[in-house]
Amino acid sequence: MNRDDAVALDQADPLAPLRNLFDLPEKTIYLDGNSLGALPRATAGRVAEVVTQEWGQGLIESWNTASWITLPQRVGDKIARIIGAGQGEVVVADSTSLNVYKVLASALSIAAEDSPERRIVVSERSNFPTDLYIASSLCRDRGYELVLVDSPSEIEGLLDRTAVLMLTEVNYRTGYLHDMASVTALAHERGALTVWDLCHSAGAVPVDLRGADADFAIGCGYKFLNGGPGSPAFLWVSPRHVDRFSQPLSGWMGHAAPFEMSPGYRPAEGVSRYLSGTPAVIGISALECGVDTLLAAEAHGGLQALREKSLALTRLFADLVGSRLPGFTIESPLDDARRGSQLSLSTGEGAYAIVQALIERGVVGDFRAGSPDILRFGVTPLYTRYVDIWDAVDHLVAVMDNDEWRAERFWTRGAVT
Ligand SMILES: *Cc1c(COP(=O)(O)O)cnc(C)c1O
């Protein structure tokens, strides 16, 4: 394999035209779409239209005339197509952190009624911290114990006592991908409910919530859905649970008739009861442009084709690291079936500085502290090219061979790493 082979793979790639849907800086190799997705070309124009026309000219009328009020459901329906949910089952609202609170609270209410003897919520110690912080606070309020496992193999032994199993489908550090269908089936067989966090899987791997018979799911708008910084998140509830409880953040947008302005809360039918306050119109409009870039892939083989390309990209990356960078360890699963859309590496020392040296060369990945510290490279098959992987590894080899990363300027950490 040489650089020309990578260029040839791009020339033969049926998904290659989709890169044109994005406005990417000329010289950058962007391998951080799992942290902040790239800017779709359509977004700036659409946001300008929402601001100048719908807001500027339409003013308050636009809640009706531009259908602002149904944006959470309309964009939710588009996301449903990406995560194997039905129409009318997904809403866009709030942040992932808040949505974790809402769905976990509902799951605990159901468990308290159906199996009150179950007193634990199970998750992984390596889960994204905000999920664990929210879960631990909720468990404390409701009298549950949050039990964290160090390996997925420890989950099974806990399921007979578990009220809710809360997992992130693709681990943010390693890219480990759970088998959602089999884990959910096992949890159900043993009487536990499931909450799935799709932050690193929605738009990156084919998700089939209905096929897996999952219970609750939430996920992020600004990662693989390309919704932009601070984009609102999404939330799905299985139709079999959705009308059983109203969630605790029972604001007026989740009311059956918000403009009755009645003092008593009456939850809306279906997933709309998971809305709380006024929808973030500008943010959801930007998110819609991001989701449309993924739906555009439907004409090119859809998520299955994206998945195959993503695996080919991370496999190429792993092969090149294996042959050219003996000082690095691959922290992501090498088994395709267990690897999300990223490759994580570790090395003896200087992970943060190495990532900074790469950024100076135009290769944008990121660093995640922990043990070990991780150099993380996300691939987004909508716009990542094979040649980008080749060049990124070439830059990493240069950073190491020239000891570039030892330069002092790479050792100062910013507020966001
Ligand atoms: C990115 C991410 C979040 C982010 O939550 P916010 O509320 O948007 O800050 C939460 N959970 C997981 C698993 C994530 O990957």
Side-chain angles (χ1 to χ4, degrees), residues 123-190:
S123 192
E124 291 180 277
R125 199 175 308 282
S126 63
N127 199 347
F128 195 91
T130 201
D131 298 46
L132 300 180
Y133 302 157
I134 296 273
S136 97
S137 148
L138 194 51
C139 285
R140 200 168 52 233
D141 288 350
R142 301 266 185 119
Y144 283 81
E145 184 193 349
L146 177 63
V147 177
L148 301 180
V149 299
D150 290 304
S151 150
S153 62
E154 295 166 40
I155 292 172
E156 185 169 1
L158 295 165
L159 285 175
D160 288 334
R161 300 193 286 130
T162 301
V164 182
L165 173 62
M166 184 187 86
L167 294 175
T168 295
E169 190 184 15
V170 174
N171 184 276
Y172 78 103
R173 277 172 57 81
T174 63
Y176 176 88
L177 166 65
H178 281 285
D179 180 343
M180 182 193 285
S182 71
V183 173
T184 302
L186 183 65
H188 287 175
E189 194 184 298
R190 307 278 290 279

Side-chain angles (χ1 to χ4, degrees), residues 3-188:
R3 193 172 190 279
D4 289 342
D5 297 327
V7 171
L9 285 171
D10 287 317
Q11 278 161 355
D13 173 17
L15 295 168
L18 294 168
R19 183 176 163 88
N20 237 331
L21 296 173
F22 292 87
D23 201 352
L24 291 155
E26 194 74 27
K27 295 230 167 79
T28 301
I29 297 175
Y30 192 59
L31 299 176
D32 214 1
N34 54 338
S35 201
L36 176 66
L39 171 66
R41 281 197 202 283
T43 306
R46 176 64 189 134
V47 168
E49 180 180 59
V50 170
V51 171
T52 59
Q53 293 301 313
E54 297 182 6
W55 177 15
Q57 300 302 307
L59 290 167
I60 201 164
E61 290 300 306
S62 288
W63 282 108
N64 289 315
T65 56
S67 303
W68 283 351
I69 197 69
T70 54
L71 269 173
Q73 291 87 354
R74 190 172 89 218
V75 179
D77 279 344
K78 288 188 175 186
I79 293 172
R81 286 157 60 188
I82 291 166
I83 57 173
Q87 296 294 286
E89 294 175 5
V90 176
V91 282
V92 171
D94 305 315
S95 61
T96 302
S97 301
L98 291 191
N99 289 338
V100 168
Y101 186 85
K102 291 187 267 187
V103 299
L104 183 56
S106 290
L108 287 175
S109 298
I110 291 171
E113 206 168 88
D114 294 355
S115 47
E117 71 291 352
R118 292 170 179 263
R119 300 312 302 170
I120 63 173
V121 171
V122 174
S123 192
E124 291 180 277
R125 199 175 308 282
S126 63
N127 199 347
F128 195 91
T130 201
D131 298 46
L132 300 180
Y133 302 157
I134 296 273
S136 97
S137 148
L138 194 51
C139 285
R140 200 168 52 233
D141 288 350
R142 301 266 185 119
Y144 283 81
E145 184 193 349
L146 177 63
V147 177
L148 301 180
V149 299
D150 290 304
S151 150
S153 62
E154 295 166 40
I155 292 172
E156 185 169 1
L158 295 165
L159 285 175
D160 288 334
R161 300 193 286 130
T162 301
V164 182
L165 173 62
M166 184 187 86
L167 294 175
T168 295
E169 190 184 15
V170 174
N171 184 276
Y172 78 103
R173 277 172 57 81
T174 63
Y176 176 88
L177 166 65
H178 281 285
D179 180 343
M180 182 193 285
S182 71
V183 173
T184 302
L186 183 65
H188 287 175

Side-chain angles (χ1 to χ4, degrees), residues 138-333:
L138 194 51
C139 285
R140 200 168 52 233
D141 288 350
R142 301 266 185 119
Y144 283 81
E145 184 193 349
L146 177 63
V147 177
L148 301 180
V149 299
D150 290 304
S151 150
S153 62
E154 295 166 40
I155 292 172
E156 185 169 1
L158 295 165
L159 285 175
D160 288 334
R161 300 193 286 130
T162 301
V164 182
L165 173 62
M166 184 187 86
L167 294 175
T168 295
E169 190 184 15
V170 174
N171 184 276
Y172 78 103
R173 277 172 57 81
T174 63
Y176 176 88
L177 166 65
H178 281 285
D179 180 343
M180 182 193 285
S182 71
V183 173
T184 302
L186 183 65
H188 287 175
E189 194 184 298
R190 307 278 290 279
L193 292 164
T194 54
V195 169
W196 287 100
D197 186 323
L198 307 180
C199 278
H200 286 270
S201 40
V205 300
V207 179
D208 189 3
L209 288 169
R210 274 183 164 245
D213 195 30
D215 298 288
F216 297 88
I218 69 272
C220 204
Y222 51 78
K223 292 173 182 163
F224 289 99
L225 299 186
N226 306 312
S231 169
F234 66 87
L235 172 162
W236 171 84
V237 181
S238 162
R240 74 177 168 279
H241 301 310
V242 75
D243 288 321
R244 270 191 72 177
F245 284 93
S246 54
Q247 50 92 7
L249 304 180
S250 48
W252 70 318
M253 286 296 144
H255 191 282
F259 292 93
E260 264 177 18
M261 302 287 186
S262 61
Y265 184 75
R266 195 155 45 82
E269 299 254 309
V271 77
S272 293
R273 67 179 51 190
Y274 282 80
L275 299 177
S276 297
T278 304
V281 170
I282 301 170
I284 304 179
S285 300
L287 174 59
E288 184 167 29
C289 296
V291 174
D292 284 343
T293 62
L294 280 153
L295 296 178
E298 284 180 347
H300 302 256
L303 275 165
Q304 203 48 53
L306 289 171
R307 172 66 172 155
E308 279 160 26
K309 181 178 172 189
S310 155
L311 285 173
L313 289 166
T314 49
R315 210 180 302 126
L316 171 63
F317 203 154
D319 288 348
L320 291 172
V321 169
S323 60
R324 300 187 64 191
L325 290 156
F328 285 81
T329 305
I330 295 170
E331 300 288 343
S332 299

